[in-house]
Amino acid sequence: MDIRFVTAASGEVVAVMATEGGELLGAGKALDTAASGRIAKAMKAAHFKGGAGQVVDVLAPDGVDFARVLVIGVGKAEAADGMAVERWAGHAVKRVLTSGSEKLVLQPDALPSVAIAEAGAHAALGARLAAYRFDTYRTKLKPEQKPTLQAVEVVLEAIAAAKARAEVDAAIVEGVFFARDLVSEPPNVLYPESFAERLRDLETIGVEVEILEPAAMEKLGMGALLGVAQGSSRPARLVSMKWNGSSSKKAKPIALVGKGVTFDTGGISLKPGAGMDEMKGDMGGAAAVAGAMKAIALRKAKANVVGVVALVENMPGANAQRPGDIVNTMSGQTIEVLNTDAEGRLILADAVWYAQDKFEPTALIDLATLTGAVIVALGHENAGMFSNDEDLVHAITSAGQAEGEPVWRLPLSAAYDKLIDTPNADMKNIAGKPVAGSIVGAQFIKRFVKDGTPWAHLDIAGTAWKSGPYDDPISPSWATGYGVRLLNRLIANKYED
Ligand code: BES
Ligand code: MN
Ligand code: ZN
């Protein structure tokens, strides 16, 4: 889909803003005047209140060239932020995407806390994100199910600033779509080797990609990662992606580490059958890291960043690890595997250690669809955040807030850490009782974080994908791409030259 910034509005379909109370903003008011008040009349007849996402679809108003005017609410004017503008544009795209129309005109207005250039850029970003589809395997779509929308024109008086921002945002869109595609792909298509090959493609945009195979991991002592992989006929991969954009090429990078379980059956601690298909998304952390690497490389971020993803399939094959197995890790610590379904922390134990050992990062953030418990605690609205560093906490919180990918901090402490002590090894991979599941997972990962490394763990089990209906207009599919925007913003705010 084409995005264009233009100074004059013309076409078949236009979207304008209204705020709570049902007030049209500037662009809508002008149209209403031209239409002799018929748009306001339609809004009144529809009992339109201007709530976020509320739409009045006005057809064939007299006196204006547009054949269709979409009046879309942004909610309370004072509370409306950039995300509200994105969702406003997203609602418009949602209405028009398969309607038969080929062009949509967006007429954003400035809001109390969003300047007009910003509003224009957010409108373009929202429109792009809303147009996402994963139709790869839908071979029999009827014409009316297929997108017809080919171009979105954003109308602004001065287009230069919005255009410049939108060019950078295009990189973010590519990153988010990359992550969504990876999460959406079926597990027979996307498995550790094929995932690694897709990451290899990032070389074409200047990312250095290194792929470790099992023999190399064996040599490094990654017994926890390989223990998970051994139940599958698909061999594991550990992929490092390096972007060296800082002017000081030798500066230590920030490390992003992702859980990439391409399918999680639970292993011998087998999951129940209902809904197990969703475990194709258990590589959402790795997808977020890959998407973020793509975004920062495409926009040529002036930062040194390394992404490390651990890719395995957790299967109950004949050679699968058993509950009770004790494995060695690259760190030298041993783990008693009491539940083979707590596999994410096992692969992260080695991946997190490897990232620190090899890259000596200034900070490390891991993302993982780690626990069902985080969904119980926070639903699908916030990722769970755990950290040993207050600065990182604040930076991640505000990046998530700004990008519509919020996080909520949960605690860590010595008392929780004790729950994974065992007489049989250095630690066990589950607590003895079903308490504080997400915290226990985080405490486990923390044992593989070296003293002095600022670290945060984001449990994205509730946010990497969602069940339908997909009513967030800028996230119109099962896979959200959660994490890409947050990481990109974090790097832009805190780690660039
Ligand atoms: N991949 C799952 C966590 C998950 C659950 C992600 C639901 C998304 C939706 C993870 O590997 C897992 O199985 N965790 C267990 C841990 C338990 C055995 C301590 C869980 O959450 O039940
Ligand atoms: Mn599991
Ligand atoms: Zn898992």
Side-chain angles (χ1 to χ4, degrees):
M1 199 182 68
D2 251 13
I3 297 277
R4 295 192 287 263
F5 289 90
V6 298
T7 50
S10 74
E12 187 187 21
V13 193
V14 66
V16 295
M17 288 178 166
T19 52
E20 200 168 281
E23 280 291 308
L24 281 168
L25 297 183
K29 264 190 194 146
L31 278 179
D32 187 46
T33 305
S36 316
R38 299 184 68 115
I39 295 170
K41 191 172 177 185
M43 289 161 69
K44 201 161 171 233
H47 297 276
F48 178 78
K49 301 284 189 304
Q54 223 195 325
V55 183
V56 183
D57 203 333
V58 188
L59 297 175
D62 217 5
V64 300
D65 286 338
F66 291 105
R68 185 177 181 193
V69 177
L70 295 167
V71 180
I72 303 177
V74 294
K76 275 204 178 69
E78 302 72 39
D81 55 6
M83 293 308 303
V85 177
E86 289 181 30
R87 296 206 166 92
W88 167 80
H91 279 292
V93 166
K94 202 172 161 182
R95 290 274 170 149
V96 178
L97 192 62
T98 58
S99 67
S101 297
E102 292 177 2
K103 190 177 93 170
L104 166 67
V105 177
L106 295 175
Q107 284 202 273
D109 278 286
L111 292 158
S113 56
V114 191
I116 186 63
E118 263 180 80
H122 280 293
L125 178 53
R128 283 180 157 125
L129 290 171
Y132 177 80
R133 310 249 303 192
F134 186 74
D135 287 343
T136 314
Y137 304 100
R138 305 180 73 188
T139 66
K140 301 284 184 281
L141 282 179
K142 299 189 186 81
E144 65 270 23
Q145 295 176 303
K146 289 187 186 163
T148 54
L149 185 63
Q150 283 166 20
V152 170
E153 285 183 358
V154 182
V155 184
L156 296 167
E157 263 173 43
I159 59 180
K163 210 171 161 182
R165 265 201 59 166
E167 270 160 29
V168 177
D169 288 347
I172 298 168
V173 174
E174 289 300 309
V176 172
F177 286 8
F178 189 37
R180 287 180 183 171
D181 284 349
L182 289 166
V183 171
S184 299
E185 282 288 3
N188 60 329
V189 171
L190 195 83
Y191 44 91
E193 293 157 287
S194 59
F195 196 148
E197 283 316 312
R198 289 201 190 195
L199 299 181
R200 178 75 82 194
D201 294 344
L202 294 174
E203 284 177 345
T204 60
I205 55 168
V207 178
E208 257 176 71
V209 179
E210 190 188 12
I211 302 177
L212 296 191
E213 300 196 355
M217 293 186 244
E218 183 91 52
K219 261 199 196 131
L220 290 164
M222 298 185 172
L225 192 162
L226 291 171
V228 175
Q230 77 187 34
S232 169
S233 59
R234 309 277 198 193
R237 292 289 184 267
L238 185 82
V239 183
S240 302
M241 296 160 272
K242 247 167 94 178
W243 172 255
N244 251 11
S246 168
S247 54
S248 72
K249 297 290 166 209
K250 290 229 167 71
K252 299 289 183 217
I254 172 176
L256 311 173
V257 181
K259 167 181 174 181
V261 177
T262 60
F263 195 74
D264 181 13
T265 65
I268 295 299
S269 312
L270 194 63
K271 286 184 181 296
M276 203 203 275
D277 57 289
E278 298 215 325
M279 285 302 138
K280 72 174 184 177
D282 206 19
M283 28 57 68
V289 170
M293 294 307 298
K294 184 162 194 175
I296 62 165
L298 282 173
R299 69 175 181 81
K300 301 195 164 38
K302 291 184 170 41
N304 293 345
V305 185
V306 59
V308 174
V309 295
L311 307 177
V312 301
E313 187 179 54
N314 189 22
M315 295 286 279
N319 191 43
Q321 67 180 345
R322 297 139 292 250
D325 280 6
I326 294 176
V327 295
N328 258 304
T329 61
M330 184 181 175
S331 73
Q333 303 175 90
T334 58
I335 303 167
E336 183 180 24
V337 179
L338 290 182
N339 189 319
T340 64
D341 196 13
E343 85 296 341
R345 61 199 72 183
L346 295 172
I347 67 171
L348 286 172
D350 281 327
V352 162
W353 192 267
Y354 174 80
Q356 294 167 97
D357 193 65
K358 180 151 169 125
F359 301 108
E360 297 171 8
T362 55
L364 185 148
I365 300 167
D366 78 79
L367 291 91
T369 50
L370 203 75
T371 65
V374 85
I375 308 174
V376 177
L378 300 174
H380 302 282
E381 311 308 321
N382 282 268
M385 171 175 60
F386 303 84
S387 181
N388 61 4
D389 186 274
E390 299 306 308
D391 277 355
L392 198 50
V393 162
H394 291 127
I396 291 174
T397 304
S398 62
Q401 195 58 43
E403 298 289 325
E405 295 182 343
V407 300
W408 194 261
R409 190 184 191 179
L410 293 167
L412 295 162
S413 79
Y416 292 118
D417 176 75
K418 251 173 75 120
L419 293 169
I420 51 173
D421 283 343
T422 169
N424 301 322
D426 298 334
M427 72 196 84
K428 55 187 177 184
N429 75 332
I430 53 167
K433 42 191 173 178
V435 295
S438 304
I439 301 176
V440 169
Q443 292 288 169
F444 183 96
I445 297 168
K446 186 169 184 291
R447 290 207 186 188
F448 298 87
V449 176
K450 295 183 182 177
D451 277 345
T453 304
W455 156 77
H457 157 62
L458 301 183
D459 191 334
I460 62 168
T463 50
W465 69 80
K466 58 193 188 291
S467 46
Y470 312 128
D471 46 15
D472 181 352
I474 58 171
S475 183
S477 69
W478 180 74
T480 60
Y482 181 98
V484 174
R485 294 184 63 172
L486 183 158
L487 293 172
N488 176 69
R489 166 68 45 206
L490 175 73
I491 287 161
N493 287 353
K494 192 173 159 74
Y495 296 100
E496 284 195 53
D497 296 354

